[in-house]
Amino acid sequence: MTSARTRERLVRRLQEQGISNLAVLDRIRNVPRHLFVDEALSSRAYEDTALPIGHGQTISQPYVVARMTEVLLADGPLGKVLEVGTGCGYQSAVLAPLVTSIYTVERIEPLAERARALLRSLQIRNVRFSHTDGCEGLPRFQPFDGILVTAAPQEIPEALLSQLADKGRLVIPVGPGGRQQLLVVTRKGNSFERKTIEPVSFVPLLEGLR
Ligand code: SAH
């Protein structure tokens, strides 16, 4: 159920859906997604579907993780990246070796703690975890070459735009449940170029800590 063949089937499916970055596909192949979900669900870990991770949250669908990672890296390798919405840490684990460092923030503390322990056990060492409200970004460590948001606000938070480095890219789902679009915003000096990628479905970005 978690075999090489099952994982390969998932990789092939993502390729058929248009994911072409080989480094990203390799991460989908190698990151043990079954360790990020509850043991009772591990037989479904390599299906291309979102699954519950507790606290009313979900691990993102592999296609969406792959797509967001590919869009983030489309202009070449990145240095410092902020992820808003750690969840179980799967997106961070996929991205970690493809960038210099990741700062990931989560508003639900037990999720952040579980993700920290899991990534440590996988020997992933360039991810820093914070229990904070990602709507504020992470001012202490700005600017970021890339920002990846894995929960959907109604509007792009100003703080995230202002913490983007010049030529930096923000990948973010925006809009109400059922009508969200994945956007990529590229900073060019003080202007921000927006491009719509495709419709997506994420849990909402909520303000404040829990
Ligand atoms: N990146 C995860 C997806 C997690 S789902 C993965 O790889 O599967 C989105 C997460 O965003 C949830 O854990 C939710 O608690 C978190 N979240 C929502 N609003 C937030 C906010 N304002 N700041 C930080 N995290 C937030």
Side-chain angles (χ1 to χ4, degrees), residues 82 133-139 142 144 147 156-164 170 187:
L82 171 67
D133 177 0
C135 297
E136 316 282 325
L138 202 56
Q142 64 153 324
F144 298 98
I147 302 179
I156 300 178
E158 268 313 310
L160 298 182
L161 292 172
S162 72
Q163 292 173 30
L164 207 52
L170 165 65
R187 180 169 199 161

Side-chain angles (χ1 to χ4, degrees), residues 61-209:
Q61 183 193 354
Y63 169 78
V64 170
V65 171
R67 189 81 175 114
M68 289 178 82
T69 309
E70 185 172 82
V71 169
L72 187 75
L73 297 173
D75 279 348
L78 288 183
K80 197 164 66 174
V81 173
L82 171 67
E83 180 194 27
V84 176
T86 310
C88 61
Y90 179 69
Q91 168 74 70
S92 282
V94 167
L95 182 61
L98 310 178
V99 299
T100 309
S101 59
I102 303 178
Y103 292 80
T104 184
V105 304
E106 171 58 56
R107 65 186 285 276
I108 302 176
E109 194 165 24
L111 286 178
E113 287 311 314
R114 203 189 328 150
R116 188 201 305 269
L118 182 50
L119 267 66
R120 194 189 300 132
S121 76
L122 295 173
Q123 324 267 332
I124 295 172
R125 300 183 207 283
N126 61 337
V127 182
R128 292 231 231 157
F129 296 82
S130 305
H131 174 226
T132 49
D133 177 0
C135 297
E136 316 282 325
L138 202 56
R140 259 184 75 202
F141 297 103
Q142 64 153 324
F144 298 98
D145 304 308
I147 302 179
L148 198 60
V149 183
T150 67
Q154 302 282 340
E155 305 270 343
I156 300 178
E158 268 313 310
L160 298 182
L161 292 172
S162 72
Q163 292 173 30
L164 207 52
D166 193 24
K167 302 197 176 65
R169 295 160 80 79
L170 165 65
V171 180
I172 184 168
V174 179
R179 279 194 295 116
Q180 298 163 2
Q181 291 285 348
L182 186 63
L183 305 182
V184 55
V185 182
T186 307
R187 180 169 199 161
K188 303 221 161 121
N190 281 330
S191 69
F192 295 87
E193 249 176 48
R194 273 175 184 241
K195 202 174 115 196
T196 301
I197 306 293
E198 62 198 38
V200 283
S201 176
F202 276 86
V203 295
L205 186 77
L206 300 174
E207 281 181 41
L209 294 182

